[in-house]
Amino acid sequence: MSVQVWTWLLVGVTFALYFGIAIWARAGSTKDFYVAGGGVSPLANGMATAADWMSAASFISMAGIISFTGYDGSVYLMGWTGGYVLLALLLAPYLRKFGKFTVPDFIGDRYYSNVARTVAVICALIVSFTYVAGQMRGVGVVFSQFLQVDITLGVVIGMAVVLVFAFLGGMKGITYTQVAQYCVLIFAFMVPAFFISIQMTGNIIPQIGMGGTVEDGTFLLDKLDALHTELGFKEYTDGTKSTWDVFAITLALMVGTAGLPHVIVRFFTVPKVKDARKSAGYALLLIAILYTTAPAIAVFARTNLIETVRDTEYAEVPAWFKNWEDTGLIAWSDKNGDGKIQYVAGGAIEGKKPVYSDARGEYGQRLITNANANANELYVDRDIMVLANPEIAKLPNWVIALVAAGGLAAALSTAAGLLLVISTSISHDLIKKQIKPDISDKGELMWARIAIVGAVLIAGYFGINPPGFVAAVVALAFGLAAASFFPAIILGIFDKRMNKEGAIAGMVVGITLMLFYMMKFKLDFFGGGTQEDWWFGTSPEGFGTIAMLVNVVISVVVSRATAAPPQHVQEIVENIRIPSGAGEAQSH
């Protein structure tokens, strides 16, 4: 069967499974909708958390970024993995003991203030919309190639799918759907890794294969370094980022992870604090399978790409190249008229989106209007590397289709979790807690579902018009979470003297500073700026660290300059540090 048929078959079967679970696990109460009734087993919650965590950025884009940036891409591995450890050890058990459904709910009650709750809601919406844009972009990339539709239409299809199981099942439906999605995505990620590792190094284990030798006895990484040097790139195993920026990005990703509302809420779906710790352990183990494989996938894909397209005549390139070219995610400019693809460092379209004309070139290639006038150039979108990898390696059609199904599972699982956070922030933290406290359970559920519809539409827009690669967009969401939520949560747990004035001031200043920096250097607002203009040499992806530190300083200074929290609040802070005695998550 063709790739197209295999893709329709595997995607159709997996989607039918997701829809069936959503209908089976339809939420009948706000407790079902928000925390799946609080009765999910630790193993199931661990699998669901892993799927929620391993988004399109992890599945599609992380290996793509590592394949292009080499050593510098390790910040994503270190930051996201370390952040999950931080979340499991320092936050999850204590928040579960507190018993609230959402981060804004925790902040509103811990800081005894609806103003603090509202600020937290605004922060949650900003973080979640930034994050979900990357997921919708990932959905569009997968659909555009494997189902042969435009990226925009792919995003719309993804919106419709995620709306069904988020709208019907809430957290209950999402949780059990994510268990299935974890199985799909991890199988889809590992199978091609096994195939390609055997093909290139003779070793079935990708992590070992990456450090192994190829046919001529050369170490694979040495071969890739030599290819890079030959083409004018920096060695793959050497980095270009400053030590400070690597540290800043890694820390921003770590503490941003610990502040992500859609991950934190997962620990309220289990019956006890002990179960929260168990599910965190299961999730970390399950996440490690993909995260330790991603660098190997990156090395395999980068080596195969260079060897496939370097000095190859366009008329002789494999079909996969022209298929991806039709989606706009690969571009080639033939300025010297030799008909060959040159892939060298310094190309004018390398690293930025090509702008296509309606015409076709002499060899049938799509013509680019923003290419350098004097050089042959190649543009490859980083987000296609994992998806195109099985095609480049000439793996069986069913493996290529399996990767498409896995990419969709990764993107949709996280998108559903984020949309639930958005709807909960509006229906519970704004409407129930502040605007209409006497609203009925049924009414609150109705508003939660209305909010999901609105959130899907906005998320779709950002998915169609994203400000960068999937992983880069997601990294900004982590920076926003680090700048806003993490200090308020960690100080709320471990500092009895922390009060509402300090928390509000810290969150407002932190997220405002991060938004300003992101908009200036990533979106070219406020006059824009280049790398030379970065503050303290810190990239937008790493600036969350600075914004977080500013948040902490302001929070502590303001809290010490104002009245201490009420005594009952200080007693709550003391109590949540004691592991025993936590009951079910509170019903609302």
Side-chain angles (χ1 to χ4, degrees):
M1 289 192 291
S2 68
V3 172
Q4 186 88 4
V5 174
W6 270 114
T7 303
W8 280 108
L9 178 63
L10 292 179
V11 170
V13 169
T14 55
F15 276 24
L17 176 63
Y18 305 154
F19 290 146
I21 292 172
I23 294 169
W24 165 76
R26 181 168 181 166
S29 66
T30 53
K31 189 170 183 181
D32 279 346
F33 197 88
Y34 294 148
V35 291
V40 180
S41 72
L43 178 58
N45 192 53
M47 295 177 74
T49 305
D52 209 347
W53 172 241
M54 291 189 295
S55 61
S58 294
F59 189 97
I60 296 174
S61 198
M62 183 171 65
I65 281 192
I66 296 171
S67 73
F68 277 78
T69 59
Y71 176 84
D72 287 339
S74 63
V75 296
Y76 293 96
L77 289 171
M78 294 186 296
W80 284 336
T81 308
Y84 193 82
V85 175
L86 192 67
L87 172 65
L89 293 177
L90 291 183
L91 299 186
Y94 305 107
L95 291 174
R96 175 62 188 80
K97 178 74 181 290
F98 199 84
K100 296 298 181 180
F101 287 161
T102 66
V103 172
D105 211 9
F106 167 80
I107 289 175
D109 283 13
R110 164 61 182 85
Y111 295 112
Y112 50 97
S113 167
N114 273 340
V115 174
R117 190 191 307 274
T118 302
V119 171
V121 167
I122 294 169
C123 292
L125 294 177
I126 293 171
V127 170
S128 298
F129 276 124
T130 305
Y131 203 154
V132 81
Q135 312 314 311
M136 289 303 180
R137 155 79 177 178
V139 172
V141 169
V142 176
F143 274 124
S144 67
Q145 167 60 9
F146 293 102
L147 301 184
Q148 300 298 305
V149 298
D150 182 73
I151 286 184
T152 300
L153 179 57
V155 171
V156 172
I157 295 171
M159 288 163 57
V161 172
V162 77
L163 180 62
V164 171
F165 54 83
F167 186 89
L168 285 178
M171 181 57 83
K172 187 177 180 182
I174 287 170
T175 295
Y176 292 107
T177 301
Q178 285 173 335
V179 171
Q181 286 167 333
Y182 175 79
C183 297
V184 172
L185 76 86
I186 203 65
F187 187 68
F189 198 81
M190 296 305 297
V191 167
F194 293 145
F195 268 97
I196 298 172
S197 185
I198 293 173
Q199 187 182 80
M200 294 182 72
T201 70
N203 196 308
I204 192 172
I205 302 173
Q207 293 87 337
I208 298 176
M210 180 180 69
T213 57
V214 292
E215 285 184 359
D216 62 2
T218 306
F219 282 103
L220 179 58
L221 288 172
D222 288 340
K223 177 181 179 179
L224 185 53
D225 277 344
L227 288 172
H228 265 229
T229 304
E230 186 180 334
L231 298 176
F233 296 103
K234 196 172 181 66
E235 285 189 349
Y236 184 83
T237 54
D238 197 6
T240 59
K241 293 182 183 294
S242 67
T243 302
W244 159 249
D245 200 34
V246 169
F247 172 80
I249 295 173
T250 302
L251 185 58
L253 294 174
M254 283 181 65
V255 297
T257 298
L260 283 178
H262 76 289
V263 176
I264 288 173
V265 74
R266 294 234 54 94
F267 296 99
F268 296 106
T269 64
V270 293
K272 297 175 290 187
V273 174
K274 182 180 178 182
D275 294 331
R277 286 197 178 94
K278 282 184 179 178
S279 61
Y282 284 129
L284 189 57
L285 179 63
L286 296 169
I287 289 167
I289 297 172
L290 186 144
Y291 269 58
T292 56
T293 307
I297 293 273
V299 170
F300 300 154
R302 182 69 173 170
T303 305
N304 277 334
L305 173 71
I306 292 173
E307 292 191 320
T308 301
V309 301
R310 181 183 54 162
D311 293 327
T312 301
E313 292 193 12
Y314 180 82
E316 297 177 0
V317 293
W320 68 264
F321 186 98
K322 296 179 180 179
N323 290 339
W324 282 106
E325 186 184 27
D326 288 339
T327 69
L329 299 175
I330 283 181
W332 170 62
S333 170
D334 183 31
K335 293 300 180 182
N336 63 8
D338 67 353
K340 288 186 177 181
I341 298 172
Q342 273 87 48
Y343 187 31
V344 294
I349 58 170
E350 176 67 35
K352 69 178 181 180
K353 301 294 182 187
V355 178
Y356 294 101
S357 70
D358 293 331
R360 290 273 179 169
E362 177 183 355
Y363 307 100
Q365 77 273 24
R366 297 186 69 180
L367 295 181
I368 309 158
T369 61
N370 65 330
N372 188 311
N374 302 311
N376 284 17
E377 299 173 85
L378 177 69
Y379 166 85
V380 181
D381 191 300
R382 300 175 185 184
D383 288 341
I384 74 167
M385 291 307 294
V386 169
L387 301 173
N389 197 24
E391 295 178 273
I392 299 172
K394 300 178 181 178
L395 296 187
N397 288 344
W398 68 268
V399 178
I400 298 170
L402 180 64
V403 172
L408 289 172
L412 294 174
S413 63
T414 303
L418 290 163
L419 291 171
L420 186 66
V421 165
I422 293 168
S423 73
T424 303
S425 295
I426 293 171
S427 64
H428 178 68
D429 296 309
L430 277 182
I431 295 175
K432 171 72 174 177
K433 286 289 186 177
Q434 299 184 64
I435 297 173
K436 195 175 181 182
D438 60 343
I439 191 171
S440 67
D441 194 64
K442 187 176 179 180
E444 188 180 350
L445 202 55
M446 178 192 73
W447 275 108
R449 286 178 167 143
I450 291 173
I452 277 185
V453 175
V456 165
L457 295 176
I458 298 172
Y461 171 80
F462 285 119
I464 294 167
N465 302 284
F469 303 111
V470 173
V473 176
V474 169
L476 295 174
F478 281 76
L480 290 165
S484 56
F485 281 135
F486 182 75
I489 296 171
I490 204 76
L491 291 172
I493 293 171
F494 295 103
D495 183 8
K496 290 195 298 182
R497 187 62 179 76
M498 189 65 189
N499 62 13
K500 63 181 179 181
E501 291 84 2
I504 293 169
M507 284 191 295
V508 169
V509 171
I511 199 161
T512 301
L513 190 59
M514 181 63 198
L515 281 172
F516 170 80
Y517 200 82
M518 185 175 83
M519 293 171 75
K520 179 176 178 64
F521 292 108
K522 207 73 177 175
L523 304 179
D524 291 328
F525 288 8
F526 311 115
T530 63
Q531 184 170 336
E532 288 71 30
D533 302 317
W534 287 353
W535 299 358
F536 313 110
T538 311
S539 63
E541 291 81 7
F543 192 75
T545 293
I546 292 177
M548 176 203 65
L549 294 174
V550 171
N551 182 338
V552 170
V553 170
I554 288 177
S555 298
V556 172
V557 170
V558 171
S559 67
R560 266 53 180 183
T562 50
Q567 187 60 37
H568 76 276
V569 172
Q570 296 187 46
E571 290 172 0
I572 290 173
V573 175
E574 284 281 0
N575 183 54
I576 63 174
R577 296 183 209 159
I578 302 169
S580 61
E584 293 186 359
Q586 297 174 26
S587 180
H588 297 278

mmCIF file of all heavy atoms in Angstrom, residues 452-470:
data_model
loop_
_atom_site.group_PDB
_atom_site.id
_atom_site.type_symbol
_atom_site.label_atom_id
_atom_site.label_comp_id
_atom_site.label_asym_id
_atom_site.label_seq_id
_atom_site.Cartn_x
_atom_site.Cartn_y
_atom_site.Cartn_z
ATOM 1 N N ILE A 452 -14.033 26.306 25.914
ATOM 2 C CA ILE A 452 -13.205 25.433 25.079
ATOM 3 C C ILE A 452 -13.390 25.757 23.602
ATOM 4 O O ILE A 452 -12.425 25.816 22.835
ATOM 5 C CB ILE A 452 -13.530 23.947 25.359
ATOM 6 C CG1 ILE A 452 -12.767 23.472 26.592
ATOM 7 C CG2 ILE A 452 -13.162 23.066 24.174
ATOM 8 C CD1 ILE A 452 -12.908 22.008 26.891
ATOM 9 N N VAL A 453 -14.629 26.008 23.197
ATOM 10 C CA VAL A 453 -14.891 26.351 21.786
ATOM 11 C C VAL A 453 -14.153 27.642 21.417
ATOM 12 O O VAL A 453 -13.479 27.718 20.384
ATOM 13 C CB VAL A 453 -16.402 26.501 21.534
ATOM 14 C CG1 VAL A 453 -16.649 26.989 20.103
ATOM 15 C CG2 VAL A 453 -17.121 25.179 21.768
ATOM 16 N N GLY A 454 -14.272 28.656 22.288
ATOM 17 C CA GLY A 454 -13.577 29.915 22.024
ATOM 18 C C GLY A 454 -12.072 29.736 21.996
ATOM 19 O O GLY A 454 -11.375 30.300 21.145
ATOM 20 N N ALA A 455 -11.566 28.919 22.920
ATOM 21 C CA ALA A 455 -10.121 28.689 22.996
ATOM 22 C C ALA A 455 -9.607 27.965 21.753
ATOM 23 O O ALA A 455 -8.516 28.271 21.251
ATOM 24 C CB ALA A 455 -9.796 27.878 24.243
ATOM 25 N N VAL A 456 -10.375 27.013 21.241
ATOM 26 C CA VAL A 456 -9.980 26.287 20.035
ATOM 27 C C VAL A 456 -9.846 27.239 18.848
ATOM 28 O O VAL A 456 -8.898 27.155 18.056
ATOM 29 C CB VAL A 456 -10.986 25.161 19.713
ATOM 30 C CG1 VAL A 456 -10.798 24.660 18.300
ATOM 31 C CG2 VAL A 456 -10.820 24.007 20.683
ATOM 32 N N LEU A 457 -10.786 28.175 18.727
ATOM 33 C CA LEU A 457 -10.746 29.128 17.607
ATOM 34 C C LEU A 457 -9.508 30.021 17.686
ATOM 35 O O LEU A 457 -8.819 30.248 16.689
ATOM 36 C CB LEU A 457 -12.018 29.983 17.606
ATOM 37 C CG LEU A 457 -13.327 29.218 17.352
ATOM 38 C CD1 LEU A 457 -14.525 30.159 17.476
ATOM 39 C CD2 LEU A 457 -13.316 28.559 15.970
ATOM 40 N N ILE A 458 -9.215 30.524 18.884
ATOM 41 C CA ILE A 458 -8.041 31.385 19.050
ATOM 42 C C ILE A 458 -6.755 30.578 18.832
ATOM 43 O O ILE A 458 -5.819 31.038 18.171
ATOM 44 C CB ILE A 458 -8.045 32.043 20.445
ATOM 45 C CG1 ILE A 458 -9.273 32.942 20.604
ATOM 46 C CG2 ILE A 458 -6.766 32.848 20.664
ATOM 47 C CD1 ILE A 458 -9.484 33.478 22.005
ATOM 48 N N ALA A 459 -6.732 29.364 19.397
ATOM 49 C CA ALA A 459 -5.552 28.508 19.242
ATOM 50 C C ALA A 459 -5.310 28.188 17.771
ATOM 51 O O ALA A 459 -4.162 28.144 17.308
ATOM 52 C CB ALA A 459 -5.727 27.216 20.030
ATOM 53 N N GLY A 460 -6.381 27.974 17.019
ATOM 54 C CA GLY A 460 -6.255 27.704 15.594
ATOM 55 C C GLY A 460 -5.632 28.860 14.844
ATOM 56 O O GLY A 460 -4.788 28.681 13.966
ATOM 57 N N TYR A 461 -6.034 30.080 15.220
ATOM 58 C CA TYR A 461 -5.461 31.266 14.567
ATOM 59 C C TYR A 461 -3.956 31.321 14.796
ATOM 60 O O TYR A 461 -3.172 31.546 13.872
ATOM 61 C CB TYR A 461 -6.114 32.545 15.102
ATOM 62 C CG TYR A 461 -5.404 33.796 14.625
ATOM 63 C CD1 TYR A 461 -5.638 34.298 13.340
ATOM 64 C CD2 TYR A 461 -4.474 34.441 15.432
ATOM 65 C CE1 TYR A 461 -4.964 35.415 12.879
ATOM 66 C CE2 TYR A 461 -3.793 35.560 14.982
ATOM 67 C CZ TYR A 461 -4.050 36.051 13.706
ATOM 68 O OH TYR A 461 -3.372 37.151 13.255
ATOM 69 N N PHE A 462 -3.535 31.114 16.058
ATOM 70 C CA PHE A 462 -2.111 31.166 16.361
ATOM 71 C C PHE A 462 -1.363 29.990 15.735
ATOM 72 O O PHE A 462 -0.171 30.089 15.435
ATOM 73 C CB PHE A 462 -1.883 31.181 17.871
ATOM 74 C CG PHE A 462 -2.200 32.502 18.505
ATOM 75 C CD1 PHE A 462 -3.181 32.614 19.468
ATOM 76 C CD2 PHE A 462 -1.525 33.645 18.124
ATOM 77 C CE1 PHE A 462 -3.480 33.830 20.056
ATOM 78 C CE2 PHE A 462 -1.808 34.872 18.692
ATOM 79 C CZ PHE A 462 -2.789 34.965 19.657
ATOM 80 N N GLY A 463 -2.061 28.866 15.545
ATOM 81 C CA GLY A 463 -1.430 27.734 14.877
ATOM 82 C C GLY A 463 -1.170 28.017 13.408
ATOM 83 O O GLY A 463 -0.183 27.558 12.834
ATOM 84 N N ILE A 464 -2.055 28.792 12.789
ATOM 85 C CA ILE A 464 -1.898 29.156 11.378
ATOM 86 C C ILE A 464 -0.855 30.251 11.214
ATOM 87 O O ILE A 464 -0.150 30.331 10.211
ATOM 88 C CB ILE A 464 -3.257 29.590 10.794
ATOM 89 C CG1 ILE A 464 -4.221 28.389 10.770
ATOM 90 C CG2 ILE A 464 -3.102 30.155 9.382
ATOM 91 C CD1 ILE A 464 -5.659 28.763 10.511
ATOM 92 N N ASN A 465 -0.736 31.120 12.235
ATOM 93 C CA ASN A 465 0.207 32.244 12.172
ATOM 94 C C ASN A 465 1.176 32.194 13.366
ATOM 95 O O ASN A 465 1.162 33.088 14.221
ATOM 96 C CB ASN A 465 -0.559 33.573 12.188
ATOM 97 C CG ASN A 465 -1.543 33.677 11.060
ATOM 98 O OD1 ASN A 465 -1.178 33.912 9.920
ATOM 99 N ND2 ASN A 465 -2.819 33.485 11.359
ATOM 100 N N PRO A 466 2.015 31.143 13.463
ATOM 101 C CA PRO A 466 2.904 31.018 14.630
ATOM 102 C C PRO A 466 4.131 31.912 14.480
ATOM 103 O O PRO A 466 4.562 32.196 13.363
ATOM 104 C CB PRO A 466 3.317 29.548 14.586
ATOM 105 C CG PRO A 466 3.320 29.233 13.120
ATOM 106 C CD PRO A 466 2.209 30.046 12.504
ATOM 107 N N PRO A 467 4.737 32.335 15.605
ATOM 108 C CA PRO A 467 5.933 33.180 15.530
ATOM 109 C C PRO A 467 7.237 32.399 15.457
ATOM 110 O O PRO A 467 8.245 32.845 15.949
ATOM 111 C CB PRO A 467 5.844 33.978 16.841
ATOM 112 C CG PRO A 467 5.193 33.048 17.797
ATOM 113 C CD PRO A 467 4.222 32.222 16.987
ATOM 114 N N GLY A 468 7.257 31.218 14.859
ATOM 115 C CA GLY A 468 8.515 30.480 14.755
ATOM 116 C C GLY A 468 8.304 28.986 14.702
ATOM 117 O O GLY A 468 7.195 28.499 14.472
ATOM 118 N N PHE A 469 9.388 28.229 14.857
ATOM 119 C CA PHE A 469 9.315 26.772 14.883
ATOM 120 C C PHE A 469 8.557 26.310 16.124
ATOM 121 O O PHE A 469 8.458 27.018 17.117
ATOM 122 C CB PHE A 469 10.727 26.170 14.889
ATOM 123 C CG PHE A 469 11.569 26.590 13.721
ATOM 124 C CD1 PHE A 469 12.657 27.433 13.897
ATOM 125 C CD2 PHE A 469 11.259 26.166 12.446
ATOM 126 C CE1 PHE A 469 13.431 27.827 12.822
ATOM 127 C CE2 PHE A 469 12.024 26.558 11.356
ATOM 128 C CZ PHE A 469 13.114 27.396 11.538
ATOM 129 N N VAL A 470 8.033 25.099 16.078
ATOM 130 C CA VAL A 470 7.211 24.599 17.182
ATOM 131 C C VAL A 470 7.954 24.669 18.514
ATOM 132 O O VAL A 470 7.465 25.227 19.491
ATOM 133 C CB VAL A 470 6.751 23.148 16.905
ATOM 134 C CG1 VAL A 470 6.048 22.581 18.123
ATOM 135 C CG2 VAL A 470 5.821 23.113 15.691
#
